[in-house]
Amino acid sequence: MQRSNERFVERLPLVPDRPAYAYILSLLFCGGAFMLRIAAEPLLPNGYPFVTFFPAVILSSFLFGVRPGIFTAIFCGLLSWYVFIPPFYNFAMNPAVAVAMLFYTGVVVVDILLIHFMQRANFHLAVERERSRALAENRELLFHELQHRVSNNLQVVAAMLALQRRHVDHDVARKALDDASARLGLVGRISRALYDPSGQGQDIRAFLTTLTADVLEASGRTDIDVAVTAPDGLTIEPSITVPLALIVAESVSNAIEHGLPDRPGKVVVTLEEAQGALALRIVDDGHGVAPDFEHGASDSLGLRIANALAVQLGGRFSLTPGANGGAVARLDLPARTAC
C-alpha cells in the first residue's frame, strides 16, 4: 500500500500533457464546492463564505499543478464574493470585503506554494531514486561480472593443474596436483555461490546442503548419506562463510576418504548457534581415529588447511574419536562471526 501511494504521488501532477482536462476537472471541483456550500448554508454561521472552496483549491493544485490551482483559486474566490459575501450577487467593494478577500488570497497562495514546493521536492526525490536504482543495477551487474571472472580464473588454474598432472609420473605429486586442482575448483564455486553486492550472507543451511552434496558427488560415492542440520534463517558474513565452507568440505571429504573408504555410512553436519557463537560438528560412523590421535601433528594437508582456516577465523578446530565410533571434526567460532 505504501509503495502504491509513493508511485501515485510521483506521477503528480496528473494529465500534464492535456491541460484542458485539468481545467475542466478543476471547474468540476469548483462546482462541487459551490453545491456543498449551498447545502451547508443553513448549518453555518455568518462569515464563512470560503469554507468549502479551500479544499477545491488544494485538490486542484495537488492533482493538476500550480496553474490549475491558481485558476481554481480565482474562480472560487470570485464565486464566493458574488454569492456568499454581502451585498449578495454583487461585486461591491468595502473594507470588510477587502479584508475577507485578502484573507482568502493569503490562504490560497500559501496552500498553492506549499503544494508546489512539495511536488518539486517529490519530483527531485523520484529522479534521485531512479538514478540510485540504475546505479545499483549497474553495480550489481559489474559485481557479478567480476565474481564470474574471478571464479573463471580459479577454474582455469584448476584446469591447468589437471593438465600438468598428465606430465607427472610420481604418484604422490600427481595426487597433490589432483588435490590442489579440486580445492581451487571448490573455492571458485563457493565464491560464485556466496558473494553478492549487498554484502549480506545467505541461508547457511541451504548453502551447506548444496556444498555437501557437491562434495559427495565429486567423491563418486552413492552409498553414503550426508545430512545437514542448522538453525532456520541463520546467515553468516560471506568473509566467514568461505573458510567455514572449506573446512566443511575438507572434513566431509576426509570422512568419506578415510573414515568410510570401503563401506556405506553416514556423515552428519551440524551447525549450532548460541548467543552469536557458532559450533560446527561433522560426525561420521566410519573407522574413526585412534584415541591418542593428534590432529595438530598430522601430516595431512587437509587437516593443516582446516587448522589454518580456524586460526584465521579466531576459532579452534579439532578431530577426535566419536562416542560410538567414527570421528568428530569440530570447529568453534567466537560470537563476532555470527550476524
Side-chain angles (χ1 to χ4, degrees), residues 265-311:
K266 184 174 183 179
V267 180
V268 179
V269 179
T270 304
L271 183 65
E272 297 177 341
E273 188 265 342
Q275 297 181 347
L278 296 176
L280 173 71
R281 296 195 306 275
I282 298 94
V283 181
D284 67 76
D285 57 357
H287 296 303
V289 296
D292 58 348
F293 174 77
E294 292 289 342
H295 73 276
S298 173
D299 59 355
S300 170
L301 178 60
L303 291 179
R304 292 204 301 269
I305 290 175
N307 282 322
L309 292 173
V311 172

Side-chain angles (χ1 to χ4, degrees), residues 106-119:
V107 172
V108 296
V109 166
V110 170
D111 290 342
I112 292 172
L113 286 177
L114 287 177
I115 293 173
H116 171 67
F117 289 131
M118 181 196 69
Q119 289 184 343

Side-chain angles (χ1 to χ4, degrees), residues 9 25 79 87 94 98 118 124 130 137 141 146 189 197 203 216 225 231 235-236 260 265 277 305 310:
V9 172
L25 292 173
L79 191 60
N94 57 54
M118 181 196 69
H124 291 301
E130 181 63 23
E137 288 181 355
L141 179 62
L146 175 62
R189 291 195 300 272
D203 184 84
L216 182 61
D225 181 27
T235 60
I236 303 176
L260 300 163
I305 290 175

